[in-house]
Amino acid sequence: MTSLIFVSTNDLSKTSGSGVATREIVRAIGSVTTADLCVICPDPAETLSTDLRAVVDRFRFLPAETNPGHPLWHAKIETALGWHLLAAIRVERPAAVVTRLAQSTLFPAPICRALSIPYLLMVRGVVNRDDEYDRTKLSAIVEQVVRLNVSLADEVTVAFEAVREAIGDYRRLDQSHIEIVPNAVDPERFTPVNREEARVACEADLPPDTFVLGFVGTLAERQMLPALFRALSDVPDVHLLVVGSGPVGDRLRTLTADLTIESQVTFVGQVPYNAVPTYIGACDAAYGVVNPKRPSNPIKVYEYLACERPVLTSRSPEMTFVEHKNAGVVIEEVTPAAVADAVRELRDSTPNRRREMGVRGREYVLANHTWATVARRVLPDTLQRPRAHVEEAEE
């Protein structure tokens, strides 16, 4: 039986951030591949989901994720990864190794090159940034790790254009081009929910007849949330539902008090992952912009649209479809004034127009941004099931 190895240093039991995306990628690969799937990843903090275990034939667990930002943890995990990968290769004799790049992904590329195993590299974010938000004393080392992986990989896929620009010089002219494979969503999990029913179901005590703008995600600098909060002070008849937690949460609560908009904002903290569609459904529209200093391809935008909610986003190569498909409002710069104007536009749209935006958004996402689409674009055709077989398996 042909086998495939997937390598990641993300905890696949996490319900936020890169853990969610990596788990969905693995689940999608397991669903579309004809090969036995062996996954090498950290020992999960929680029980892995049943649907993930159903598509993975074998796991090899690395030491549990403890302090992923510390160099000693990276050294420990990479040492274990090298040994586990060699052992898995001896047993599995894989047709390919797929790796999600991390800051210290050191061994998979040279091991695969030495053993003539196709190495498929997934770069989902800018791993090494030199900006005010994310500095590291080991940035030069990280840069060389990225260069090693990109230069040795047989195929490289990235989530957005800024990543391709950052690493493009690491490929030789005779190597395959870096392909952009944007982020995605599970359309079976993120489905439309009736707004009134969602407002009753979620624990947010939202005003029943008020326009509600939502945000779901980590409360971090890259989300550019202060601009949204300041915009609210100019749009007093809008309510903001904030779902999630993170490092700037306390600052946002302080800002809410300073702007005297406490009555317009509801913080609910982090909710179970399977409850997120209900909270999105309680909103009339949702916020998910791209920070120009930290380019990204926010998964939340695809989740909002899968739930048939129009989005307020900012201009980037990957978000141009929102404007083209009329699935929301795209702003040129993320400033309080620009956000306020966009919020007014969405608020003043009729419920039917917003509903049509959401429907168009979901249709586009289903056609272009499912995790199964990502998996098919990453794997070679020889390791994929025919589409009809996949659809039957999903049913």
Side-chain angles (χ1 to χ4, degrees):
M1 178 69 181
T2 303
S3 66
L4 176 70
I5 296 176
F6 184 93
V7 176
S8 174
T9 55
N10 291 125
D11 182 342
L12 301 186
S13 70
K14 282 189 171 181
T15 56
S16 63
S18 59
V20 171
T22 307
R23 181 176 68 247
E24 293 298 330
I25 290 169
V26 172
R27 196 162 66 89
I29 287 175
S31 297
V32 307
T33 187
T34 56
D36 275 4
L37 179 59
C38 173
V39 174
I40 301 175
C41 63
D43 196 6
E46 306 291 339
T47 302
L48 293 175
S49 62
T50 302
D51 55 359
L52 178 64
R53 287 187 172 276
V55 298
V56 176
D57 296 281
R58 288 170 291 283
F59 285 96
R60 284 181 173 268
F61 291 125
L62 307 172
E65 188 177 281
T66 52
N67 186 4
H70 197 281
L72 290 179
W73 182 82
H74 282 287
K76 178 180 179 181
I77 202 80
E78 283 303 316
T79 301
L81 173 55
W83 286 109
H84 274 278
L85 180 57
L86 285 170
I89 288 172
R90 282 196 295 269
V91 173
E92 306 289 342
R93 300 189 179 278
V97 172
V98 182
T99 297
R100 175 166 182 168
L101 183 66
Q103 288 185 337
S104 59
T105 306
L106 183 60
F107 292 113
I111 287 174
C112 289
R113 173 57 63 92
L115 299 177
S116 299
I117 299 170
Y119 183 56
L120 314 179
L121 182 67
M122 301 184 71
V123 188
R124 306 311 293 170
V126 180
V127 176
N128 180 32
R129 298 185 179 95
D130 185 18
D131 61 35
E132 61 183 299
Y133 298 119
D134 189 4
R135 295 184 186 274
T136 171
K137 295 178 181 178
L138 302 176
S139 59
I141 296 175
V142 174
E143 193 73 18
Q144 292 308 310
V145 169
V146 175
R147 182 187 294 271
L148 172 74
N149 278 271
V150 174
S151 64
L152 292 182
D154 294 272
E155 302 291 340
V156 181
T157 59
V158 300
F160 49 98
E161 178 61 36
V163 181
R164 182 162 67 179
E165 292 177 358
I167 66 176
D169 290 344
Y170 302 160
R171 301 287 282 173
R172 299 189 311 274
L173 292 177
D174 61 337
Q175 291 181 298
S176 61
H177 294 296
I178 297 173
E179 184 179 0
I180 296 177
V181 180
N183 281 321
V185 66
D186 176 2
E188 300 301 318
R189 185 187 302 275
F190 286 85
T191 58
V193 180
N194 175 272
R195 191 190 74 157
E196 286 67 33
E197 293 176 2
R199 290 193 182 182
V200 171
C202 70
E203 299 177 2
D205 193 26
L206 296 171
D209 300 319
T210 301
F211 177 87
V212 174
L213 183 69
F215 171 83
V216 179
T218 304
L219 307 186
E221 292 279 1
R222 66 179 182 275
Q223 312 286 10
M224 304 194 78
L225 290 166
L228 173 59
F229 280 67
R230 291 190 171 92
L232 282 187
S233 62
D234 288 334
V235 194
D237 52 347
V238 168
H239 197 86
L240 175 63
L241 175 63
V242 181
V243 181
S245 59
V248 303
D250 289 341
R251 272 191 281 162
L252 291 174
R253 289 178 173 82
T254 299
L255 180 60
T256 301
D258 291 344
L259 295 170
T260 64
I261 57 172
E262 296 97 328
S263 63
Q264 289 180 256
V265 182
T266 298
F267 291 92
V268 297
Q270 193 162 336
V271 302
Y273 186 57
N274 59 9
V276 169
T278 299
Y279 283 84
I280 295 174
C283 303
D284 296 283
Y287 180 85
V289 300
V290 176
N291 189 324
K293 294 183 178 180
R294 296 194 62 160
S296 64
N297 181 220
I299 294 173
K300 63 174 59 61
V301 171
Y302 304 114
E303 293 174 345
Y304 298 154
L305 293 173
C307 293
E308 293 189 355
R309 293 301 181 266
V311 298
L312 192 171
T313 190
S314 56
R315 190 168 300 285
S316 71
E318 291 71 37
M319 292 293 114
T320 55
F321 77 89
V322 173
E323 185 174 53
H324 294 160
K325 296 297 179 181
N326 191 16
V329 178
V330 179
I331 57 178
E332 298 296 332
E333 292 184 284
V334 186
T335 64
V339 173
D341 287 343
V343 172
R344 290 190 192 95
E345 182 178 343
L346 288 166
R347 177 204 61 190
D348 295 341
S349 297
T350 65
N352 189 55
R353 182 168 181 264
R354 290 195 296 266
R355 190 177 306 110
E356 290 172 350
M357 286 182 178
V359 169
R360 286 192 293 269
R362 180 172 171 84
E363 288 175 350
Y364 182 83
V365 165
L366 262 62
N368 299 277
H369 292 285
T370 66
W371 290 116
T373 300
V374 171
R376 286 191 173 279
R377 293 182 64 183
V378 169
L379 296 181
D381 292 342
T382 54
L383 294 179
Q384 294 184 32
R385 297 176 185 172
R387 287 184 181 274
H389 291 179
V390 175
E391 291 168 0
E392 290 170 6
E394 290 174 348
E395 291 174 1

